[in-house]
Structures are given as C-alpha cells and as structure tokens.
C-alpha cells in the first residue's frame, strides 16, 4: 500500500486518479478523522483519512488545505454507494459537515457489522476489531492520539498512526465480508456465473473471423 | 450428461427448458447431423444432434418429426451468438436449410480453431481432434456411420454414436477455449474483475439496514 500526505489541491488532484481506480471494484473506504482539543474544546477536523481495501491511503490535511475538495472526491464522499467504514464514522461525518460543509454518506459502523457476525470476543473498538479479525495488535498510544494534528508538519509516528486507522478499518471490513461470503451458500454459484460470463465473452472472441466460414486448410 | 431421443414436438418441448438453461452461460452447441444414402443418393437429414458443453444432448429425429421445430429452438439455431461447433458444420447447416428450411447460423468449424492453436498432431477429423484435445479414442465404425438413420427405431449403438459426435464436438471446443484462456495474460485480470464485481454486489448487501445508522449495542 501507499500513503499520501496531502496539504494542497494540486497534490490531491495528482493522486485522486489512482485512488478512484482502486475503488473501481471494491467501493469501500476506510474512513477516519483526527483533530486536536485545546483546553478541552475540540478544534476543527485537522486530518481526513481515506483508505482503499487495496491499501492506498489519502491523508488530507484539512487544517492546511485551502479551498474546497475536488468535486470528484466530494461526489464519492456524498455517494452512499461508496461505503465508508470505521468505528463511529457518523460522528466523523457530522463533524466534517459542521466544520467544513463536507457531506459524507454511506457510513457503516464496523461495530454494527461485527455484532451481526457474532464472533467478537474482543472489545468493539478498532483495536479490538483488528485483534479479532486481523490478528493484529494495534499500538494505540495516547500521546499520538492526542497529539497536535494541526501542527505545521506531522511526525512519521502521527502519519503511520493516522493512516493505520483508516487502512485497518478497510481491512477489517474486507475480512468480515470475506468470512460472510464463505458462509454464504449462494456465493459459489454466483461466482461461478460471473466467471462463466467473463470466460464466455473471451471465448466467443476466439471465434472472430471463423463464424459461418468454411474450413480452409 | 443426459441424451434425449426425440421424435415428436411434445417430447422436444418438455426437454427444451433444460437445454436452454444449460446454454445460459456457455452459448456453445455441439452440432451434427446424420442421414442415409440410398443407391448413392443422400436422403434428407434423418437426425439432428445438438449437445451442450455440460453434456445434455438432443437427438431430434427429423425423419419422424411432424411440423416445424419449436420457435425457441429455431431462434437459437438461427442466432449466430450461439456458436454451433462441429467438423464441417456449414455443410450440415446447408443440408438442413435445403431439406427442411431450418436456418442454422453461428457455425464454427473445429478444424479452423484447431489450426489456429497449432497444436494438432493428429488428423483434423473429429476422431483426430478428440484424440488430440480429449485423449479419447472414438470408435468410428463404418457400419454405424452408414446405418439406417431413418429406421423406425434406432439401436443403442446408433444413439450412442450420434450423441457422441455432438457431445465430443462441444467438449473439444471447450478444451480448445480453456487452453487459449490459460495462455491469455488478460484472462486472470478479467476473471478477477468479474469475481470482484459479483463479490461486491453481495458484500454491499451485507450493509443493508446499517448504512448511515448510528451503532447501537
Ligand atoms: Na474516528
Ligand atoms: Na483515529
Ligand atoms: Na457432420
Ligand atoms: Na456424425
């Protein structure tokens, strides 16, 4: 996977093609936000984290970003057919709307999905879900969690921490989805049909130039 | 596989649903015809053999069949997107048109496909192709090949022989197609996409009732 730290429209435009391409088949976005509190008062969202299941992560520094987000990205964020997965994503979505007027629809709370699978032994925070579904122990250090997300430049620790939250959310979703798929008796035949349809379009192309033509040695 | 010997419209209608269903994903029909010669003069086609890749074979006794073929079957026979595979299928198609006004389009000669694969060591008759692609030795006995295909009732030997020709044609096609698929570098990614698309439609259904809803324990 690749993580992009983005503070200006030009940089975001440059990587957006790649991000959109990765979403082509799995319309799932690991979604998280970071902000700082000053004297107990939450400041505007400083960092918006968006990750694909395939491991591409955008870290958009809203505290430094000037102007509106690219229309293409706004469309994806407001389009509920792109699922935004995380722990408490609605709260982040509401704060983005309040702080910046950014509309995020299609939020799915991983805890709700996890409760449906009834397999969770660990707690339902992202750390617990990562342990349950990925076997990964997240290093949720308070001093990073509560660090200055609007600082002039972010430390590597902050970058890794922030990217990880969105990336892990996407991966937890994909593992839950996969485990459900494997227990779904209709999936095997649906997959088989999809494969056959594709094979057929390829196979029939082999006959180009031969249909209704007599064989000539 | 199952072979159906059919002499009347009622019987053909009964099995046509099954046949059409088998064609849903692999629109390939192993195609052959049999007829008798009397005093060196070819008689009208007596038997029309149609086989799916999955092994369902219709043996339609045109010498005994009264009235036109079902419209659904006529449509499939005249629709070139359903590929009719055999050795010299155009000759059979022309004879069906001449003898009964039955239109068959979408003929693909297995010899033309075999020549394209450049792997054939054996002769290009169906027997040679079966040996090359299926490792099967066909028992092409002249006394059956030249038997009375318009006899009041067909022997088990005739039935097996006739069905085998159409079934083997369909299977040779599917093996050639598969060998081409495996050597096609674009196939893996096309398949992957098809699988992902299907998975996606299933996966997104898991989120029904959860989208943009707050998590409640
Ligand atoms: Na969050
Ligand atoms: Na976070
Ligand atoms: Na023939
Ligand atoms: Na034959």
């Amino acid at each position: 996977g690749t993580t992009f730290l983005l503070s200006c429209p030009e940089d975001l435009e440059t990587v957006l093609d790649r991000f959109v391409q990765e979403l082509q088949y799995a319309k799932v976005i690991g979604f998280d936000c970071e902000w700082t509190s000053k004297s107990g008062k939450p400041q505007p969202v400083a960092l918006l984290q968006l990750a694909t299941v395939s491991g591409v992560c955008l870290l958009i520094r809203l505290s430094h970003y000037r102007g509106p987000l690219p229309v293409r990205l706004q469309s994806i964020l407001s389009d509920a057919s792109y699922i935004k997965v995380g722990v408490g994503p609605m709260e982040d979505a509401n704060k983005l709307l309040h702080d910046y007027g950014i509309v995020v629809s299609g939020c799915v709370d991983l805890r709700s999905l996890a409760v449906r699978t009834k397999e969770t032994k660990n707690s339902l925070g992202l750390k617990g879900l990562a342990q349950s579904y990925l076997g990964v122990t997240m290093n949720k250090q308070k001093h990073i969690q509560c660090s200055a997300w609007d600082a002039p430049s972010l430390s590597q620790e902050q970058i890794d921490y922030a990217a990880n939250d969105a990336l892990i959310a996407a991966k937890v979703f994909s593992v839950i989805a996969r485990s459900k798929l494997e227990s779904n008796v209709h999936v095997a035949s649906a997959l088989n049909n999809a494969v056959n349809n594709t094979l057929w379009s390829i196979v029939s192309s082999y006959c180009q130039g031969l249909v209704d033509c007599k064989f000539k040695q």
Side-chain angles (χ1 to χ4, degrees), chain A:
Chain A
T2 317
T3 296
F4 300 95
L5 186 62
L6 306 156
S7 304
C8 66
E10 295 74 16
D11 291 350
L12 181 48
E13 274 296 347
T14 305
V15 298
L16 205 49
D17 273 342
R18 166 95 184 273
F19 185 73
V20 170
Q21 205 179 319
E22 303 278 332
L23 293 175
Q24 198 174 355
Y25 295 109
K27 293 165 81 178
V28 176
I29 299 173
F31 169 58
D32 197 19
C33 289
E34 307 295 342
W35 59 85
T36 306
S37 286
K38 283 195 177 129
S39 318
K41 198 174 156 247
Q43 302 300 301
V45 172
L47 191 66
L48 165 59
Q49 301 113 278
L50 303 171
T52 69
V53 171
S54 58
V56 173
C57 183
L58 308 186
L59 302 179
I60 305 174
R61 301 203 66 193
L62 296 176
S63 54
H64 290 64
Y65 196 92
R66 296 286 155 255
L69 293 178
V71 171
R72 259 198 308 169
L73 184 56
Q74 287 186 44
S75 301
I76 289 171
L77 291 175
S78 64
D79 180 349
S81 77
Y82 290 85
I83 294 178
K84 287 78 180 183
V85 296
V87 169
M90 295 280 284
E91 287 78 357
D92 291 348
N94 287 338
K95 191 158 165 56
L96 281 173
L97 183 63
H98 173 269
D99 295 346
Y100 298 96
I102 296 171
V103 177
V104 178
S105 305
C107 288
V108 172
D109 198 309
L110 291 171
R111 295 171 296 184
S112 306
L113 273 179
V115 166
R116 279 196 179 173
T117 69
K118 302 179 203 306
E119 290 171 9
T120 42
K121 325 139 207 78
N122 297 298
S123 76
L124 286 169
L126 188 59
K127 188 180 164 83
L129 295 172
Q131 195 71 59
S132 296
Y133 290 100
L134 309 179
V136 163
T137 304
M138 289 179 81
N139 193 8
K140 279 281 189 190
Q141 291 177 276
K142 195 86 180 169
H143 80 273
I144 305 172
Q145 196 177 341
C146 301
S147 62
W149 291 106
D150 51 2
S153 74
L154 296 178
S155 69
Q156 192 59 45
E157 264 190 326
Q158 284 177 306
I159 292 170
D160 293 344
Y161 176 99
N164 215 25
D165 273 2
L167 288 164
I168 293 267
K171 292 224 184 301
V172 166
F173 178 87
S174 93
V175 167
I176 294 178
R178 185 167 294 270
S179 78
K180 288 190 162 246
L181 284 172
E182 280 163 7
S183 66
N184 184 330
V185 290
H186 298 297
V187 168
S189 89
L191 279 184
N192 199 32
N193 291 351
V195 168
N196 281 340
N197 273 326
T198 301
L199 289 186
W200 176 246
S201 66
I202 298 163
V203 162
S204 58
S205 74
Y206 294 150
C207 297
Q208 265 179 12
L210 299 182
V211 177
D212 293 330
C213 293
K214 284 213 175 180
F215 172 61
K216 289 179 204 106
Q217 190 100 37

